[in-house]
Amino acid sequence: MNPKQTLDYDLSALRASFPGWSFFRSDAGAFYATRRGVQLNDSELDAGLQQTVSADDAETFGALLHEQQLRGWNCGRANV
């Protein structure tokens, strides 16, 4: 499998697992995700929720998104 196919697969799997986020990769290869249709309030930000997350590799990126999902459940935002 060539690197482009691997990158596309990583994003496709993440999109399926985290549908409330918009995903993209930078030209340098970093992963980015921004919450779709959600504006976090101050208490959610204080609790550690982030509007946008980024990482240099798919494994770290997936872990960050999973952490955001757990934090969202703890804040009563199960769907973000």
Side-chain angles (χ1 to χ4, degrees), residues 1-48:
M1 183 178 288
N2 73 41
K4 175 67 174 149
Q5 289 173 321
T6 302
L7 299 179
D8 289 343
Y9 172 76
D10 288 342
L11 286 181
S12 295
L14 289 169
R15 283 183 180 111
S17 296
F18 301 97
W21 295 79
S22 293
F23 294 89
F24 64 97
R25 292 225 29 187
S26 72
D27 290 341
F31 290 87
Y32 287 86
T34 299
R35 293 177 189 275
R36 188 182 325 182
V38 173
Q39 183 66 38
L40 299 175
N41 62 42
D42 288 341
S43 64
E44 292 167 330
L45 293 169
D46 290 343

